[in-house]
Amino acid sequence: MANAQSKRRIPELDIARAIAVVSIIIYHTGLTFSAEMFPKSGFPPQIVPVLDTYHLYVLFIVSGYLTDFDRPLTARGVLKSARGLLLPYLVACLLIIAGAAISAALQGFDPAEQALRWTQAALWGAGSDHEFALAHVTRIGGIWYLPALFWAKLFIGLIARLSPRKKAVAVVLMFAVSYVSGLFIWLPMSIQSGLGAVAYMYIGSLIRRFRKTLDRHVVPVLAASAALWIPALMLGGNSSLAMCAYPAGPIDILGGIGAAVCILYMPRFIADHLHTAARLLELVGRNTLALFTLHIVEDNVAPWLIMIDILRQSFGDTPVTWLVLVGFRLMLDAALVGIAYLLPPTRAVFFPHVRGASVRRACGRFLHALDEQSAPGAPVATIGAKRPTGAHFRS
């Protein structure tokens, strides 16, 4: 089973997902350790808007690339999506609730109050508080992406039987409904976010359908994509797919799409010139579900302001201190992924392709995978290459 799944992988999409998730980790670090709060050692303010222009766009577009828009909604499909998306969301929320209670107790606060606060956040499932929300509770953070993607897959199944033209119209209408409804009301569990995400996933499906044509005209495609991305870099960078909010309007939307296309072609360059980086990113990309989800857990739970003070005292209040924090956080998240892999309950949730394997066998596979990634090998395949796609993709 594991071998069959590995044959179905699309390496350059794994690399693109790895770029997106690592960018999210750096982005969240920039929000916490900002130059506005820490002028001498904080995160450079110019970087955060750049990361904001592409990270989530890439994830949704890659999801769409590997989603069958012609597959009607079935009970089995709903259960499969729930297993792959809502179960990790539930486990992550339980970890956040428990971690927040423990963190509060260690800091001398009321653990029950924190547990209740994060339980409400988990039940509401929003990426941020909204002016017109039916309930104003703590935002659950970045894992809003998981229920949003679940809803998006359901909406895609509902329009699967439509003709291509009607399907395109339905996608545009869903995006419009998500945006307009958000101006008046905000529903729980990121339903509107998922409704809006269908449009980006549809772009991904179009890229897959016309990938041969795009590859034959790669230079004009990249030039046009960069032309869309540049205005977003200059005037955008404050969009929120979580809240269906685009302050710069079409500049944010088109810029995100253009940026995602550029990111999708980056693995080709990385594979040709940076073989070790390509294999490392490919390994990260195969485990982005665990990396992304566990990062959000620590982002919500860890007392980062206290840790930043310790960091500044240890390394000084210098312009490179933020780099130390980024490196530490990446290593921390990698360690959490390794721990989750070794524990059977979390391995079954975040690494479903190895469920049922013993801990020793799982450790062996993990070490073997690391050994394979460190060995020289063939370049990563490109999007234009012929290969099967399927439901192996897990966001």
Side-chain angles (χ1 to χ4, degrees):
M1 178 66 71
N3 291 336
Q5 287 182 346
S6 64
K7 291 180 181 178
R8 295 199 301 266
R9 302 302 303 190
I10 302 181
E12 74 277 14
L13 295 186
D14 282 332
I15 293 176
R17 288 193 302 168
I19 292 172
V21 172
V22 170
S23 296
I24 288 173
I25 296 172
I26 298 173
Y27 173 81
H28 287 159
T29 304
L31 295 180
T32 305
F33 192 21
S34 65
E36 182 178 347
M37 295 178 61
F38 306 96
K40 294 183 179 180
S41 57
F43 200 90
Q46 302 85 356
I47 298 179
V48 170
V50 172
L51 300 173
D52 191 50
T53 60
Y54 70 84
H55 52 49
L56 286 169
Y57 294 91
V58 170
L59 288 182
F60 279 121
I61 287 176
V62 169
S63 293
Y65 189 100
L66 292 163
T67 297
D68 187 354
F69 269 68
D70 296 323
R71 178 175 295 175
L73 186 65
T74 63
R76 182 178 180 182
V78 173
L79 290 175
K80 185 176 181 180
S81 294
R83 164 66 181 82
L85 297 167
L86 296 186
L87 180 58
Y89 175 82
L90 173 62
V91 172
C93 288
L94 292 175
L95 291 174
I96 290 172
I97 293 168
I102 294 172
S103 179
L106 293 175
Q107 297 179 68
F109 300 114
D110 183 1
E113 180 182 348
Q114 289 300 308
L116 176 61
R117 173 193 173 200
W118 286 107
T119 299
Q120 293 172 336
L123 294 174
W124 184 246
S128 183
D129 193 16
H130 193 282
E131 180 182 1
F132 301 112
L134 297 177
H136 294 281
V137 299
T138 302
R139 92 286 182 274
I140 194 58
I143 52 172
W144 67 268
Y145 171 81
L146 298 178
L149 185 57
F150 171 80
W151 290 113
K153 288 181 176 291
L154 264 60
F155 295 137
I156 290 169
L158 292 175
I159 64 173
R161 295 187 185 277
L162 297 179
S163 66
R165 180 175 297 180
K166 291 181 179 179
K167 192 175 295 180
V169 172
V171 168
V172 173
L173 288 176
M174 284 191 285
F175 185 84
V177 170
S178 71
Y179 176 77
V180 174
S181 64
L183 300 176
F184 302 98
I185 190 174
W186 195 253
L187 303 174
M189 292 305 295
S190 299
I191 296 175
Q192 288 145 292
S193 307
L195 193 65
V198 173
Y200 301 109
M201 295 178 69
Y202 184 69
I203 295 295
S205 72
L206 293 179
I207 293 174
R208 183 188 69 233
R209 183 183 305 175
F210 298 108
R211 66 182 183 268
K212 293 181 180 179
T213 302
L214 294 174
D215 282 341
R216 285 197 299 268
H217 303 88
V218 62
V219 173
V221 167
L222 287 176
S225 300
L228 293 175
W229 191 4
I230 291 172
L233 292 172
M234 297 174 61
L235 304 173
N238 294 306
S239 61
S240 174
L241 274 66
M243 297 289 103
C244 302
Y246 305 94
I251 292 177
D252 281 331
I253 299 168
L254 297 176
I257 295 171
V261 173
C262 291
I263 297 296
L264 286 175
Y265 277 96
M266 281 185 182
R268 183 173 303 183
F269 174 85
I270 295 173
D272 289 341
H273 302 282
L274 304 168
H275 300 296
T276 302
R279 293 184 176 280
L280 177 60
L281 288 171
E282 187 183 341
L283 175 63
V284 172
R286 291 202 301 267
N287 300 289
T288 48
L289 173 62
L291 179 62
F292 171 74
T293 306
L294 295 174
H295 158 66
I296 301 303
V297 172
E298 55 88 354
D299 189 51
N300 286 335
V301 170
W304 282 110
L305 292 180
I306 296 176
M307 297 172 72
I308 287 172
D309 285 339
I310 296 174
L311 178 70
R312 293 169 65 214
Q313 292 174 11
S314 302
F315 292 90
D317 208 16
T318 68
V320 298
T321 306
W322 66 272
L323 285 172
V324 178
L325 181 60
V326 169
F328 170 77
R329 199 164 195 183
L330 291 173
M331 290 189 292
L332 172 63
D333 290 335
L336 292 176
V337 171
I339 293 171
Y341 192 91
L342 297 177
L343 298 176
T346 51
R347 185 171 68 247
V349 174
F350 299 121
F351 307 90
H353 57 286
V354 296
R355 66 177 181 270
S358 65
V359 173
R360 180 177 299 177
R361 186 178 177 187
C363 291
R365 286 181 178 177
F366 181 67
L367 295 174
H368 180 66
L370 289 178
D371 182 63
E372 284 185 340
Q373 296 307 310
S374 63
V380 177
T382 60
I383 291 177
K386 293 182 179 180
R387 63 175 62 80
T389 60
H392 65 278
F393 175 73
R394 300 179 184 277
S395 299

